[in-house]
């Protein structure tokens, strides 16, 4: 059994952490609301029109990300990510020069293509090739203290830059962060292990046509190496014949719709019910505290227990948190319920890649993880649209509380009926 924590793997983890810290979750998702306050005036357009460009970008990411994952499986992670990071920085530089609404739409469409290539898919695959027994822990650390930390600090950083140099200063600072921190970190540190000249490997179960209609009892494979792991797993065609893929896809889609659909409009939803705007903003801070805790703790626990059932208590917490945010007005109760919802979201974000690697291996990891990332984006878009539609139609968000409790319960049931991992971690 090979030692996983070495000087080489430590530098890879450092690079992946910096990549998450300067990646799309922190640079794009966490800063969009800051720019929405100033872009309507700059572009001479309504807030709805500007928001429409962001919606187009989210849906396009959902469509494109499975294909970029397939490119990573075929050509390697670095060959896809490095050019995309240059494009990522260039687009943010160009957004600092735009003066018309159509400029924003074109750049948001281009942005969707590049952020699918430098999103979590490639970095999660790199971590999974280096780590087996500690995969959940390392993924949790990188996501929680990379993307999670970035999402916490970038709203303040971008707001400071906008106050100093307007929207141009905000976009150009983000471009500089990507180019001066993100790109060098990936170029110098993020790489998969060298492939063996002879790539013949032994999977965790007997070679031959796998039983794709059931979840066989996982058999730990003691002697695999980082090089081996890249070639172990189901092909895409084999994976799409398994029930596990559809259960995970459904669980991720409905959880994202319920949790992120709520988060995107939580502040206006709470203020509509009479909660003070500063209190509503504080509630959202508690949500993201829960997200970081969920990302880290779920990864730590799943390495020890080796079962998808680890997700269940986190999703139960999310259901309680959803109920509180949609139906309770007391500020104290809201600050207690918000981190519960965050725990569920953090677990979903943190363990998505882990579940794909354990059920399907790493052979087609990029493609399959891209599919579930696409499911997440589809769910987010649907949640945002439904929340807005219900508010405009009935004058209240209240009906969505019941809808989201139902969809979150479906996600929990999907996890509940998952069988044991097909590719178990090696014994400690």
């Amino acid at each position: 059994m090979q030692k996983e924590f070495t000087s080489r793997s430590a530098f890879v983890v450092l690079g992946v952490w910096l990549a998450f810290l300067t990646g799309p979750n922190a640079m794009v998702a966490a800063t969009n609301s800051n720019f929405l306050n100033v872009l309507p005036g700059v572009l001479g357009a309504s807030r709805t029109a500007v928001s429409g460009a962001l919606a187009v970008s989210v849906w396009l990411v959902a469509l494109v990300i499975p294909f970029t994952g397939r490119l990573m499986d075929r050509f390697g992670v670095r060959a896809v990510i490095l050019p995309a990071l240059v494009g990522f920085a260039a687009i943010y530089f160009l957004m600092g020069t735009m003066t018309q609404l159509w400029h924003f739409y074109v750049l948001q469409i281009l942005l969707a293509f590049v952020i699918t290539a430098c999103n979590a898919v490639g970095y999660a695959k790199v971590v999974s090739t280096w780590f087996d027994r500690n995969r959940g822990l390392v993924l949790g650390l990188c996501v929680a203290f990379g993307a999670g930390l970035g999402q916490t600090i970038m709203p303040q950083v971008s707001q400071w830059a906008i106050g100093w140099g307007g929207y141009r200063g905000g976009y150009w600072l983000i471009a500089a962060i990507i180019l001066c921190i993100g790109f060098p970190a990936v170029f110098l540190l993020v790489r998969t292990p060298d492939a063996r000249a002879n790539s013949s490997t032994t999977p965790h179960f007997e070679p031959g046509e796998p039983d794709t209609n059931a979840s066989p009892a996982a058999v730990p494979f003691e002697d695999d190496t980082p090089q081996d792991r890249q070639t172990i797993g189901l092909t895409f065609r084999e994976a799409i014949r398994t029930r596990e893929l559809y259960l995970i896809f459904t669980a991720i889609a409905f959880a994202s719709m319920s949790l992120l659909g709520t988060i995107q409009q939580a502040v206006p939803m709470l203020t509509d019910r009479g909660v003070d705007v500063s209190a509503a903003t504080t509630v959202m801070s508690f949500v993201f505290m829960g997200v970081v805790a969920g990302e880290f703790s779920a990864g730590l626990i799943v390495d020890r227990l080796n079962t998808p059932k680890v997700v269940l208590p986190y999703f139960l917490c999310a259901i309680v948190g959803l109920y509180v945010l949609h139906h309770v007005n007391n500020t104290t109760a809201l600050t207690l319920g918000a981190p519960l919802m965050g725990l569920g979201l953090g677990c979903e974000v943190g363990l998505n890649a882990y579940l794909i690697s354990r059920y399907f291996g790493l052979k087609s990891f990029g493609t399959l993880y891209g599919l579930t990332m696409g499911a997440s984006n589809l769910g987010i878009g649907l949640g945002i649209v439904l929340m807005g539609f219900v508010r405009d139609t009935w004058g209240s968000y209240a009906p969505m509380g019941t809808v989201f409790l139902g969809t979150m319960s479906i996600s929990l049931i999907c996890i509940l009926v998952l069988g044991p991992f097909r590719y178990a971690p090696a014994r400690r």
Side-chain angles (χ1 to χ4, degrees), residues 75-93:
F75 298 108
V77 171
R78 287 167 58 86
V80 177
I81 290 181
L82 288 172
L85 285 171
V86 176
F88 191 8
I91 289 170
Y92 263 79
F93 177 83

Side-chain angles (χ1 to χ4, degrees), residues 34-374:
N34 298 86
F35 290 105
L36 273 175
N37 285 330
V38 297
L39 286 180
V42 170
L43 303 177
S46 68
R47 188 177 299 272
T48 300
V50 174
S51 299
L54 301 179
V56 168
S57 186
V58 168
W59 286 103
L60 193 54
V61 167
L63 294 174
V64 174
I65 198 167
F67 298 100
T68 55
R70 191 169 182 84
L71 288 175
M72 291 178 189
D73 289 333
R74 183 171 182 181
F75 298 108
V77 171
R78 287 167 58 86
V80 177
I81 290 181
L82 288 172
L85 285 171
V86 176
F88 191 8
I91 289 170
Y92 263 79
F93 177 83
L94 290 173
M95 283 201 287
T97 68
M98 62 188 180
T99 56
Q100 298 183 45
L101 181 63
W102 71 267
H103 295 165
F104 189 52
Y105 270 83
V106 170
L107 290 171
Q108 284 295 314
I109 290 171
L110 294 175
L111 183 65
F113 284 94
V114 298
I115 64 175
T116 59
C118 52
N119 213 309
V121 175
Y123 305 129
K125 180 168 185 174
V126 170
V127 169
S128 297
T129 60
W130 283 97
F131 295 92
D132 180 35
R133 300 179 303 281
N134 299 288
R135 184 177 298 167
L137 171 63
V138 177
L139 283 171
L141 281 170
C142 290
V143 174
F145 298 104
L149 179 61
Q151 286 176 309
T152 301
I153 64 176
M154 279 310 297
Q156 287 75 29
V157 171
S158 60
Q159 189 59 50
W160 170 83
I162 292 169
W164 169 72
Y167 79 103
R168 299 180 192 274
Y171 282 129
W172 288 346
L173 176 63
I174 292 174
I177 291 172
I178 296 165
L179 195 60
C180 298
I181 299 176
F183 181 84
V186 176
F187 181 76
L188 297 173
L189 301 174
V190 177
R191 58 189 70 246
T192 53
D194 297 331
R196 287 180 173 179
N198 182 359
S199 62
S200 61
T201 60
T202 306
H204 290 242
F205 50 89
E206 291 300 316
E209 184 68 21
D211 179 6
T212 57
N213 295 314
S215 295
V219 181
F221 187 51
E222 301 285 355
D223 300 320
D224 69 338
T225 66
Q227 294 90 344
D228 290 330
R229 293 177 199 134
Q230 299 175 77
T231 59
I232 295 175
L234 303 185
T235 65
F236 177 72
R237 290 186 178 182
E238 291 168 344
I240 61 174
R241 298 203 301 270
T242 67
R243 74 186 187 103
E244 291 91 352
L245 180 61
Y246 297 98
L247 288 171
I248 295 171
F249 185 97
T250 303
I252 295 297
F254 280 138
S256 294
M257 182 176 80
S258 308
L259 300 175
L260 287 164
T262 296
I263 287 172
Q264 291 292 321
Q265 302 205 38
V267 172
M269 177 179 72
L270 293 173
T271 54
D272 275 1
R273 302 208 308 261
V275 178
D276 181 73
V277 66
S278 62
T281 304
T282 301
V283 168
M284 294 312 299
S285 297
F286 277 89
V287 170
F288 287 112
M289 288 171 58
V291 170
V292 173
E295 289 168 339
F296 174 65
S297 62
L300 181 65
I301 294 170
V302 77
D303 275 338
R304 273 62 187 169
L305 301 183
N306 298 323
T307 170
K309 302 303 187 289
V310 167
V311 178
L312 296 178
Y314 287 88
F315 277 15
L316 284 171
C317 287
I319 289 172
V320 174
L322 275 171
Y323 177 85
V324 171
L325 259 72
H326 279 272
H327 298 287
V328 176
N329 296 332
N330 179 271
T331 303
T332 301
L334 286 168
T335 55
L336 293 174
L340 293 178
M341 193 175 80
L343 281 171
L345 178 59
C347 177
E348 180 224 319
V349 172
L351 293 191
N352 185 356
Y354 187 89
L355 293 177
I356 294 298
S357 72
R358 291 304 182 203
Y359 280 109
F360 311 109
L362 300 182
K363 180 180 290 185
S364 299
F365 177 87
T367 308
L368 297 171
Y369 186 31
L371 279 176
T372 57
M373 288 286 287

